[in-house]
């Protein structure tokens, strides 16, 4: 792929189109069933893909709407808070169980993840390093603690998934929290060094 093709692909309308295609693919019953068949795939693939679809869609928002949202979302605080709340609720095992058996809750889960992805995209840059650190300082320990609970639990927390799958998800959540923390710290150090 040439640089010109990459730049054309990265234009906001194209990103929004890619986001729409991703979300349509995610809505297909075969894709949904494949991702929700495993607890690890449910949380570690489906959730991020829906967040990514929402983030890509947000690129295509009209400038007037983005400005109106920016007034409500000063320093990205409102959007990051909403994203943190969505992730906290969806890490509750009962939410996963209900999403598998209730189509309304499944639709709500998908919708809030898409909205959270859009909020994350619109909030990350305005937040700056301090608010980003506060957001990650809350979300990442929560993710690691939930992962450790999944690992340590002697019984199934989610009725729809096996104990081995639960332990595997727990391990991945702990490693994911560590990887994101290290990645963000490296990016923050690079940004500070570049300014200095």
């Amino acid at each position: 792929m040439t640089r010109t093709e990459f730049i054309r692909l990265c234009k906001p309308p194209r990103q929004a189109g890619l986001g729409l295609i991703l979300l349509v693919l995610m809505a297909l019953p075969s894709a949904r069933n494949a991702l929700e068949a495993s607890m690890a795939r449910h949380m570690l693939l489906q959730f991020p893909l829906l967040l990514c679809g929402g983030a890509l869609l947000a690129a295509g928002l009209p400038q007037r709407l983005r400005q109106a949202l920016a007034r409500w979302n000063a320093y990205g605080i409102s959007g990051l808070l909403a994203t943190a709340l969505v992730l906290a609720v969806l890490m509750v095992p009962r939410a996963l169980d209900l999403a598998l058996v209730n189509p309304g809750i499944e639709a709500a889960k998908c919708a809030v993840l898409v909205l959270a992805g859009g909020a994350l995209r619109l909030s990350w840059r305005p937040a700056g390093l301090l608010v980003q650190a506060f957001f990650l300082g809350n979300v990442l320990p929560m993710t690691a603690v939930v992962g450790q609970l999944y690992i340590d639990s002697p019984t199934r927390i989610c009725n729809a998934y096996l104990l081995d799958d639960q332990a595997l998800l727990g391990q991945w959540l702990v490693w994911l929290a560590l990887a994101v923390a290290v990645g963000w710290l490296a990016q923050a150090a690079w940004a500070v060094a570049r300014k200095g």
Side-chain angles (χ1 to χ4, degrees):
M1 179 181 291
T2 66
R3 186 174 191 274
T4 307
E5 290 170 335
F6 181 74
I7 290 170
R8 199 173 331 132
L9 183 66
C10 290
K11 288 189 177 179
R14 284 279 175 103
Q15 288 183 44
L18 289 173
L20 186 59
I21 290 168
L22 175 61
L23 293 175
V24 167
L25 291 174
M26 295 288 298
L28 294 174
S30 57
R32 212 177 67 245
N33 292 338
L35 290 171
E36 292 176 352
S38 153
M39 192 176 183
R41 285 194 307 260
H42 194 162
M43 284 186 75
L44 297 174
L45 279 177
Q46 188 186 48
F47 283 21
L49 287 171
L50 290 168
L51 287 166
C52 183
L56 289 168
L57 275 181
L61 290 177
Q63 191 61 31
R64 237 168 89 188
L65 181 56
R66 289 172 82 97
Q67 288 171 346
L69 289 172
R71 286 193 298 275
W72 170 79
N73 192 25
Y75 302 106
I77 293 171
S78 300
L80 293 180
L81 175 62
T83 301
L85 290 173
V86 165
L87 294 175
V89 169
L90 292 177
M91 281 189 199
V92 174
R94 182 75 175 136
L96 291 180
D97 278 338
L98 289 173
L100 293 174
V101 297
N102 187 320
I105 293 177
E106 170 73 11
K109 175 197 80 175
C110 293
V112 297
L113 282 168
V114 170
L115 290 171
L120 192 58
R121 179 179 187 135
L122 297 174
S123 304
W124 194 252
R125 281 195 183 172
L129 291 178
L130 184 61
V131 177
Q132 289 173 11
F134 184 79
F135 170 73
L136 292 175
N138 285 288
V139 171
L140 296 180
M142 173 185 66
T143 303
V145 166
V146 168
Q148 197 60 50
L149 288 172
Y150 284 161
I151 294 167
D152 293 340
S153 176
T155 59
R156 288 175 17 191
I157 297 175
C158 249
N159 294 329
Y161 298 110
L162 299 175
L163 191 59
D164 290 345
D165 201 19
Q166 177 180 298
L168 177 66
L169 171 63
Q171 292 167 2
W172 275 100
L173 286 174
V174 171
W175 284 109
L176 178 67
L178 288 171
V180 170
V182 168
W184 181 83
L185 286 170
Q187 177 263 329
W190 182 74
V192 168
R194 199 174 63 164
K195 283 182 183 176

